[in-house]
Amino acid sequence: MKDYKEIFERLYNNYGPQNWWPADTKFEIAVGAILTQNTMWRNVVLSIKNLENAGLLEPYRMYITPIEKLSYLIKPSGFPKLKAMRLKNFLAFFSNFSFDFDKLEKFETRDLYGMLLTVNGIGHETASSILLYIFNRPIFVYDAYFKRMVSRLGIDSTEIEKSFNDAKVLGEFHALIVQHSKMHCRSKPICRMCPLIDICEYGEQNV
């Protein structure tokens, strides 16, 4: 019987703690969550470094920065004009709360999730990342890596939050799945030596 607790334990024992989200501030997490859309994390790191060097990893300073400059700095993440506009949209929303995450903290998870989704450019995955990693709400990030893994394992993708009601564990699990997807569960999978091979329907048929 496959279950998420066993999958988590196997991935954790194989890869160790991932210490996500890799950021120094809550605002940096939000920026990274927006920039990582449709790109590799290593590209986001380059953009974050550019913003840090320019002194723009502070919400108000980024808010007043011309979009052309912002686009140039985040170019490594791809779609620079589009993502710069998405950052600006988030900052316009954030300005209503004086750029203070503590003022957003008071909202119930469901309400805050809905509020984030009203921001043009923030979808379900990005909103979930913000809720999980900034506000420590027990919401899982149902990204492409997770969907691909569970489809191959042959397991119900809706059961994960029933297995874990802990934001720290859900964040660690999400990070482990990302790492696993880089190492083994790629678009063209490398099933050899996969720590989940014996419980994976796809792997058992293709090794």
Side-chain angles (χ1 to χ4, degrees):
M1 178 69 177
K2 292 174 281 191
D3 64 61
Y4 283 111
K5 291 183 179 179
E6 178 185 0
I7 294 167
F8 174 84
E9 288 174 4
R10 288 193 184 203
L11 295 180
Y12 188 87
N13 290 336
N14 193 74
Y15 300 113
Q18 300 298 297
N19 300 312
W20 266 38
W21 192 284
D24 293 327
T25 66
K26 291 180 178 181
F27 181 61
E28 186 179 334
I29 294 173
V31 171
I34 293 170
L35 293 182
T36 199
Q37 297 170 6
N38 301 308
T39 194
M40 302 293 287
W41 180 253
R42 63 174 177 265
N43 299 326
V44 176
V45 171
L46 295 174
S47 294
I48 293 287
K49 192 66 177 176
N50 288 343
L51 293 168
E52 182 180 23
N53 290 338
L56 295 183
L57 282 180
E58 190 281 321
Y60 180 71
R61 292 195 66 180
M62 186 182 289
Y63 180 66
I64 63 174
T65 297
I67 196 166
E68 294 79 13
K69 180 177 180 179
L70 189 56
S71 298
Y72 175 76
L73 292 170
I74 66 171
K75 190 174 181 180
S77 296
F79 310 100
K81 291 182 179 179
L82 177 63
K83 290 184 178 179
M85 182 57 70
R86 289 176 176 176
L87 286 171
K88 288 287 190 177
N89 291 341
F90 172 73
L91 286 161
F93 161 79
F94 199 21
S95 69
N96 295 320
F97 302 92
S98 305
F99 303 110
D100 186 349
F101 285 108
D102 289 340
K103 291 184 178 180
L104 288 169
E105 183 70 56
K106 66 181 181 180
F107 290 98
E108 295 292 331
T109 298
R110 183 174 181 179
D111 295 334
L112 184 52
Y113 190 75
M115 290 162 62
L116 289 168
L117 290 178
T118 66
V119 179
N120 190 355
I122 291 186
H124 293 282
E125 185 178 327
T126 304
S128 296
S129 295
I130 290 172
L131 283 167
L132 177 61
Y133 291 107
I134 294 178
F135 297 102
N136 297 310
R137 308 297 173 89
I139 288 186
F140 191 68
V141 181
Y142 291 89
D143 60 10
Y145 292 129
F146 172 76
K147 293 172 184 176
R148 183 167 67 204
M149 186 189 78
V150 295
S151 70
R152 289 172 175 167
L153 288 171
I155 191 170
D156 189 345
S157 65
T158 65
E159 294 292 318
I160 188 166
E161 287 167 352
K162 295 178 182 178
S163 300
F164 306 104
N165 190 33
D166 183 293
K168 185 175 181 180
V169 175
L170 287 169
E172 187 67 63
F173 201 5
H174 171 238
L176 287 166
I177 291 169
V178 172
Q179 180 64 18
H180 180 63
S181 298
K182 292 176 182 177
M183 299 298 295
H184 290 285
C185 205
R186 304 176 181 178
S187 54
K188 185 177 181 180
I190 301 174
C191 296
R192 183 178 174 82
M193 303 300 291
C194 171
L196 304 178
I197 186 64
D198 62 312
I199 58 171
C200 178
E201 292 181 359
Y202 180 93
E204 288 178 340
Q205 296 170 8
N206 290 276
V207 172

